[in-house]
Amino acid sequence: MSAMGFDGIECANDDERFMLEALKEAARAAEEGEVPVGAVIVKEGQIIARAHNKVETARRSFAHAEMLALEAAEEALGAKWLPGATMYVTLEPCSMCSGAMVLARMSRLVIGADDPKTGACGSLYNIANDKRLNHSIEITRGVLAGECSAVLKDFFRKKRG
């Protein structure tokens, strides 16, 4: 699936519009042989960062789309915290990425597909809203969930051959 394969999707709102951008990043990851997860970070209605998984190409366990997007957003803003920012990600973040978002004081997270195996924003754990931590993140789930799931299923179907 090409990165531009999502252009025909009609977006009903900004959450869908920005998730579509995250899906384009996921498609780029798939084209590079990476697990197709994409993320964009938006502040004041503008995309300030975008990224996709690069674990295999960078040979780094932490090169998840979310971590790379956080790094790019912090660099773009010249700040270590991201209040008022929203991350759109095609797959529910893991514990590492969820923890990093809490530490970055991200305001909102929009998730495409849930991840029952490693999801740490409500599926397996809920780091993003653990009351024992000093920050919590507003979460919206299931935005373009079918499309986000399909990208992952298609990738793994092809990989298993």
Side-chain angles (χ1 to χ4, degrees), residues 43-54:
K43 187 162 181 172
E44 298 174 0
Q46 300 295 317
I47 295 174
I48 60 169
R50 56 176 64 239
H52 56 272
N53 274 0
K54 290 201 173 275

